[in-house]
Structure formats: C-alpha cells, structure tokens
Amino acid sequence: MDVNAAVAAAAAIAGVLTGVIAMLAFRWSEREQKRPTRTSLHTDPVLPPGVDTVLSVLRSSAVVLDEADAVVKASSAAYALGLVRGGKLSVDPMLRMARDTRRDGEIRQVELDLPRRGTGRGEALAVSARVAPLGSRLVLLLVEDLTEARRIEAVRRDFVANVSHELKTPVGALSLLSEAVMDASDDPEAVERFAGRMQIEATRLTNLVQELIDLSRVQNDDPLEDAEPVRVDELVAEAVDRCRHQAGTKQITMAAGGTADLHVYGNRGQLAAALGNLVENAVNYSPARTRVGIAARRVNAPGGDMIEVAVTDQGIGISEKDKERIFERFYRVDPARSRATGGTGLGLAIVKHVAASHGGEVTVWSSEGQGSTFTLRLPEAGAARDRAHQHPDLDGLDDEPDDSTPQPSSYDPLPSPEVLP
C-alpha cells in the first residue's frame, strides 16, 4: 500500500509540473508573436490614416518612399509613366529630391523632361514633380504629366503667330495702296488700278476673318446640338453652286455621280462648309479645261454604315511630304499659288474638324501631276449620333501630322456622271 501511494503522489506531481511548463510556454509564445521584428520595422511601414484613400483619388501620379528609398505605395499612373520599376523609384533626379527632403524636411518642386518608355524617337515627357515629407519616416512624391498642356500651349502660340502674320499681309497691302491712291489722285487710271487691288486685298482679308470664325466655331460647338438629317445630294449641289463661277472662268467641267438619296446626321451648315471647301480647293488647284468630280456612296463599316463623298480633280497633285501636313492650319502646298487664288490655308483644317466632330474622317490620295482625291467619310444618319459622342477631344487636332497613308478609293468617283454646267 505504501508503494502504491508513493507512485500516485509522484504521478500527481509530474502532472502539475507538466501543466505549469505548458502554460509558461504558451505565454512566452504569445509575447514573442506580439514583439515587433526587424523585418516588420523596415519593410512594412504603415501609411498614416487616410493617406491611402487620398492617394487613390489624386489625378497626379503618387509614390510613397520609406527611409530606405523603397516604394511603399505607388499609383497605377506612376507605373504607366515608368517612374517605378522593380519596387524602386527609377528617376534619379526625383530620387535625389526625395533624399534631400527626408534630410531637411523641405518641400521641393521641379519640372523635368523624361524619355518616353518604348519609343526610340527621343520624344520627351514633360512632368512636374513635387516632393514633401509624410510623417517622420516617409516621403511623398507627386508627379503631374504636363506633356499635353505644353503641346496645346505650343499650338495656340503658333496659331496666334500665324494669324498675326496672315492678317499683317493684307492690312499692310491696303495701307500701301491707300497711300498710292492719294498720291495718284490726279490720275484716274492709276486710281482705278489701285482701287481694284484694294478690293482684292479687302476680299482676302474678309475671307481670312470669316474662316477664322468658322474654324473657332467648329472647334468649340457641338454639332449635334443643332443636328438634323441632311441629304448628301443637297450638300453636293450646294458645293457645286458655290464654285460654279470659278469653274466657268477656267472652263472646268464639274460632274456629280454616285449613289442617290443618301443621308447623314449633323449640323447642315458645317457639313456644307466642309464639302464646299473640298470642291473649292479642287477647282482652284486644277488647270483650265479639266474636270472635277464629286461622287457619294454607302460603305459597310464595323460600327455602322458610312457615307463616303469623294472629290477628285486633275490638278497638280500633292507630294508625299506635303500630304502629312495639308490639314494643318495655314499650311499651303504652294504659297505662291495660294496667294493668287486667295487661299488662307484654313480650309482643310476646317474640313478635318467638321469630319471628326461628326464621328468621321477625311483622307487624301494624291499623285504629283495626276491629281488628288479627297474623301469625306461620315456615319450614315442612323449611327451618326453615337459615333460623334464617342470621339475624343478635338483641340489642336489639325496640328498633329497624319501618319496614315490613305489609299485611292476603290471605285471610280465619277460613275455615270451628271455633267453640271
């Protein structure tokens, strides 16, 4: 009995010791889990409350760096601009700014030109970078893309310079001619000659001002506000009537053909001006006793049927280098010929804006010495509204070179023509 009692007592003592050891081990494990480790201190910094939410709604590209210059937080725009690569800030000037700000706490801002990712043409990306401390350990970098703003500013600056130059020419001519009239007041023939020249310059000035107004209107107005179904036949007839006198003076035959009873949806005035400009250019740049043709047809397209109106001439043609720039404001293939015809260099810019704002496009095929075909493509009346609303911002559109190389139309632009006197 004494032996059995001793064994039971020893077993009880062992069980108590085991329980005490297990409790101590559990307490020690919990304390070790709560203790911050070196890894958590240096690789998992916590953003201040609300910062993550604010960064997610900023339009600027945002990057947060820790004390080791590692990226703690970066927006998708920062990756898209190539600012962050492999968890590190890849732009050395910005990295130096961040280190200086971390050292002295001063906010810094600088504008930089960065190379574009994936392009070998040396194009620069203009950005504005601002660095500020974020708490005691983090640094916030905000980067805003200024490329588009700079491009638009350059376009506007060039536009003002071109307008000033174009206005100065007829105004200066009028001033000189008026002095000549005063000096020749006793010579009726000279007065008549100078007065005729003054009338020509005044007409050129009036046309320039009107086309500037038209260009401003098509850039700023929504063509669908006053949109209506427009018969293509009526637009063609109006364009022909507009140029009938010039064509008759040069003995140019004007012919209309193609599919009848087609409709587009849009601003009638803008569409008439666009097609009229194409026909007028064809007449002005064609030799005497040639033919200008206008033809319309319906073509199938993924987003809905399109209406194509082609204007073909037998004129001097356009070189390859000029085709990339003819839709720019004030650009002239032959400046001397433009002065003789009274051209302002704005007609094709207006055409391109009208086409784009209506959800379409204008293309050109040309060969030097063989003539040109300008094709205005517009959505048919049913799909025009949806297509026009999906078009991006048009500001400065005509100043971008068109890299596409349009091919000649696959149909004769003058099938079974109706010759118009």
Side-chain angles (χ1 to χ4, degrees), residues 338-360:
S338 295
R339 286 193 295 269
T341 59
T344 63
L346 292 174
L348 291 179
I350 293 174
V351 173
K352 188 165 188 177
H353 271 288
V354 170
S357 64
H358 283 75

Side-chain angles (χ1 to χ4, degrees), residues 77-268:
Y79 286 98
L81 289 179
L83 305 179
V84 178
R85 297 178 187 174
K88 294 288 186 179
L89 186 63
S90 61
V91 183
D92 290 338
M94 296 182 187
L95 189 58
R96 289 194 294 270
M97 287 174 58
R99 290 169 179 170
D100 293 340
T101 296
R102 185 184 301 111
R103 184 181 63 254
D104 56 22
E106 182 180 349
I107 298 176
R108 289 173 169 82
Q109 184 168 352
V110 68
E111 292 189 2
L112 301 170
D113 291 332
L114 307 178
R116 288 182 182 270
R117 297 182 61 184
T119 63
R121 295 179 292 179
E123 296 180 353
L125 188 70
V127 299
S128 174
R130 185 178 179 86
V131 180
L134 187 64
S136 58
R137 298 167 43 217
L138 304 180
V139 173
L140 172 63
L141 171 66
L142 295 178
V143 180
E144 187 171 355
D145 187 356
L146 303 178
T147 308
E148 184 65 14
R150 284 191 180 180
R151 187 191 68 82
I152 293 174
E153 181 60 29
V155 167
R156 290 175 178 169
R157 186 168 55 249
D158 292 343
F159 181 69
V160 171
N162 287 330
V163 168
S164 301
H165 174 75
E166 295 294 333
L167 289 174
K168 184 172 63 176
T169 301
V171 169
L174 287 172
S175 177
L176 292 175
L177 288 169
S178 64
E179 293 179 4
V181 169
M182 293 178 62
D183 294 339
S185 58
D186 56 347
D187 186 351
E189 292 184 2
V191 169
E192 184 178 357
R193 184 171 66 255
F194 292 143
R197 289 295 305 168
M198 290 178 67
Q199 188 174 17
I200 293 174
E201 295 298 333
T203 300
R204 178 178 299 175
L205 181 60
T206 301
N207 292 339
L208 175 59
V209 172
Q210 183 59 51
E211 291 202 348
L212 286 172
I213 294 173
D214 292 341
L215 180 61
S216 177
R217 182 178 295 117
V218 299
Q219 287 184 166
N220 297 325
D221 292 353
D222 181 2
L224 297 184
E225 289 183 357
D226 301 317
E228 58 180 329
V230 181
R231 285 176 56 91
V232 177
D233 294 341
E234 295 178 358
L235 295 177
V236 172
E238 187 173 337
V240 170
D241 287 338
R242 169 177 168 177
C243 305
R244 192 182 302 275
H245 176 70
Q246 298 98 307
T249 302
K250 300 173 66 174
Q251 299 180 17
I252 293 176
T253 301
M254 303 186 68
T259 307
D261 198 28
L262 299 176
H263 292 77
V264 293
Y265 190 83
N267 184 293
R268 179 185 178 84

